[in-house]
């Protein structure tokens, strides 16, 4: 069954000059047919630089929207437009406005995991792979970091010279990676290194041997001389971890971190959007234009 779907996908994507992008959290079989797989930053850069007229973006809504904002002339299709990141909505425009009124020298730094509207109200976007260096490079002393308090706290720890104001949002999947369960894995596998995404809670980050984005975790595991790892991020990364290092061992916590929104990306839906060109990401011109500057600033400062 899958073989036939895959054959059709590969044929149509060739015929229609479509590039398929997939985040590391989508199901294995979807990562397998993608032209590019990567973390949020890499995918945003590829969406901008690839030559295709149409991109099928296998991820969640904010990723498709960012691709559209950066490439208004390209058609961005998503296998499932309802695949949304709950954290992307966890701050209000009112809170941003209040913070701007409260502080003179303030930069609103927006994690890319946010709605287009929130991006439009921010000064610069970041992803987990460039957040520290971008925040460091800003001239402002006061930084309102939205929406993720855990990534915000991680930045604050690494950029102590700035006043990082945190917002009360988080990723429910990473927040359910409990330090107690990480410790259980450590007890079972005493030689395993703990590799954690900065969306994890502070008590998990405190016991991590390495903290980084999904691609950071993947390249750390690949190049490390260790061969056992406890992975503290969404379980879709296991596909790339295993294909890069088939002889290494990867463990996840008992409450397996799985993002139901990312898992909405199926091969059947990829084929459907290739056939019908439905599920196009549409944003008003006004919204696209006002959310463009913070994304472009990220690409510029992230170089
Ligand atoms: P990165 O792949 O950029 O590390 O982001 C993880 C994430 O939460 C995407 O939803
Ligand atoms: Fe959002 Fe968390 Fe899912 Fe990433 S893993 S899309 S941050 S809910």
């Amino acid at each position: 069954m899958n073989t036939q779907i895959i054959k059709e996908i590969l044929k149509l994507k060739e015929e229609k000059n479509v590039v398929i992008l997939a985040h590391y959290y989508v199901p294995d079989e979807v990562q397998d047919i993608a032209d590019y797989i990567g973390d949020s930053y890499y995918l945003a850069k590829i969406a901008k630089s690839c030559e295709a007229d149409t991109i099928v973006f296998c991820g969640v809504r904010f990723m498709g929207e960012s691709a559209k904002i950066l490439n208004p002339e390209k058609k961005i299709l998503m296998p499932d437009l309802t695949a949304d990141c709950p954290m992307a909505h966890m701050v209000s425009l009112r809170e941003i406005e209040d913070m701007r009124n409260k502080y003179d020298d303030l930069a609103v730094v927006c994690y890319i995991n946010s709605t287009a509207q929130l991006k439009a109200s921010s000064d610069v976007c970041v992803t987990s792979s460039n957040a520290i260096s971008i925040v460091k490079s800003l001239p402002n002393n006061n930084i309102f970091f939205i929406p993720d308090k855990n990534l915000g706290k991680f930045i604050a720890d690494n950029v102590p010279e700035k006043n990082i104001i945190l917002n009360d949002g988080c990723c429910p999947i990473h927040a359910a990676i409990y330090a107690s369960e990480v410790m259980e894995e450590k007890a079972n596998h005493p030689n395993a290194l703990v590799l954690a995404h900065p969306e994890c809670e502070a008590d998990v980050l405190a016991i991590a041997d390495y903290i980084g984005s999904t691609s950071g975790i993947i390249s750390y595991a690949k190049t490390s001389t260790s061969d056992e790892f406890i992975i503290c991020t969404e379980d879709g990364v296991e596909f790339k971890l295993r294909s890069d290092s088939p002889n290494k061992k990867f463990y996840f916590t008992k409450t397996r971190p799985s993002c139901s929104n990312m898992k909405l990306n199926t091969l059947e839906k990829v084929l459907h959007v290739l056939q019908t060109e439905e599920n196009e990401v549409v944003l008003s011109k006004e919204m696209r234009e006002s959310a463009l500057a913070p994304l472009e600033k990220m690409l510029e400062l992230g170089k």
Side-chain angles (χ1 to χ4, degrees):
M1 177 62 179
N2 271 1
T3 338
Q4 192 49 37
I5 296 179
I6 292 167
K7 234 170 105 181
E8 279 290 297
I9 289 174
L10 299 180
K11 184 167 117 327
L12 275 175
K13 119 183 145 63
E14 200 62 36
E15 275 172 21
K16 295 190 168 185
N17 186 27
V18 173
V19 159
I20 301 182
L21 307 187
H23 188 267
Y24 289 125
Y25 293 165
V26 304
D28 299 2
E29 59 279 14
V30 175
Q31 292 188 49
D32 211 23
I33 51 93
D35 297 296
Y36 299 93
I37 54 173
D39 68 4
S40 313
Y41 184 47
Y42 174 78
L43 294 174
K45 284 191 297 183
I46 292 291
K48 187 140 176 74
S49 61
C50 75
E51 299 266 292
D53 311 320
T54 304
I55 293 174
V56 172
F57 209 128
C58 305
V60 286
R61 184 82 195 196
F62 73 81
M63 297 179 172
E65 285 183 354
S66 299
K68 185 66 192 174
I69 294 161
L70 287 164
N71 306 280
E73 73 297 345
K74 288 180 186 163
K75 187 183 266 187
I76 313 292
L77 306 175
M78 297 195 73
D80 192 322
L81 280 176
T82 70
D84 196 8
C85 170
M87 182 166 67
H89 306 266
M90 288 188 188
V91 64
S92 66
L93 295 181
R94 182 66 199 268
E95 286 165 292
I96 297 176
E97 202 184 303
D98 287 351
M99 216 50 88
R100 287 204 191 273
N101 289 333
K102 195 165 164 190
Y103 292 92
D104 275 344
D105 174 34
L106 183 84
V108 178
V109 178
C110 182
Y111 191 22
I112 199 167
N113 298 41
S114 57
T115 61
Q117 198 179 35
L118 290 173
K119 288 184 177 81
S121 305
S122 303
D123 298 300
V124 60
C125 289
V126 299
T127 74
S128 54
S129 65
N130 56 33
I132 291 174
S133 64
I134 289 182
V135 169
K136 268 189 184 157
S137 74
L138 296 174
N140 316 71
N141 183 45
N142 298 311
I143 307 291
F144 183 33
F145 188 79
I146 55 167
D148 184 11
K149 70 174 162 57
N150 293 319
L151 178 58
K153 162 84 170 56
F154 175 65
I155 297 167
D157 291 346
N158 284 279
V159 193
E161 64 275 22
K162 292 195 190 257
N163 175 34
I164 313 282
I165 304 145
L166 302 179
N167 167 69
D168 191 21
C170 71
C171 160
I173 313 306
H174 286 82
I177 298 175
Y178 304 112
S180 58
E181 293 191 3
V182 178
M183 292 311 286
E184 275 172 39
E185 293 304 316
K186 264 178 96 80
N188 293 335
H189 314 287
N191 296 325
L193 296 181
V194 177
L195 313 186
H197 195 280
E199 286 178 20
C200 292
E201 299 279 335
D203 56 355
V204 171
L205 298 185
I207 51 175
D209 297 289
Y210 170 80
I211 302 167
S213 71
T214 50
S215 54
I217 289 174
I218 288 163
S219 63
Y220 186 95
K222 187 178 176 181
T223 53
S224 167
T225 50
S226 297
D227 55 12
E228 284 186 89
F229 305 92
I230 298 160
I231 303 297
C232 301
T233 191
E234 209 273 353
D235 70 350
V237 295
E238 192 173 12
F239 177 71
K240 182 76 171 126
L241 288 166
R242 288 200 188 286
S243 52
D244 280 354
S245 312
N247 298 321
K248 295 191 177 185
K249 292 200 170 74
F250 302 101
Y251 311 108
F252 288 82
T253 45
K254 198 164 59 194
T255 310
R256 195 154 165 112
S258 178
C259 176
S260 53
N261 282 288
M262 286 286 187
K263 304 310 186 210
L264 288 171
N265 292 276
T266 62
L267 282 179
E268 288 80 359
K269 291 180 195 170
V270 172
L271 178 58
H272 180 77
V273 295
L274 278 169
Q275 286 168 332
T276 61
E277 299 188 29
E278 285 174 6
N279 288 3
E280 184 173 354
V281 176
V282 180
L283 290 168
S284 70
K285 186 169 180 279
E286 193 192 2
M287 181 60 74
R288 272 196 287 103
E289 287 177 354
S290 45
L292 179 62
L295 275 170
E296 281 192 327
K297 194 163 177 189
M298 172 186 80
L299 295 179
E300 184 54 38
L301 294 175
K303 268 183 196 159

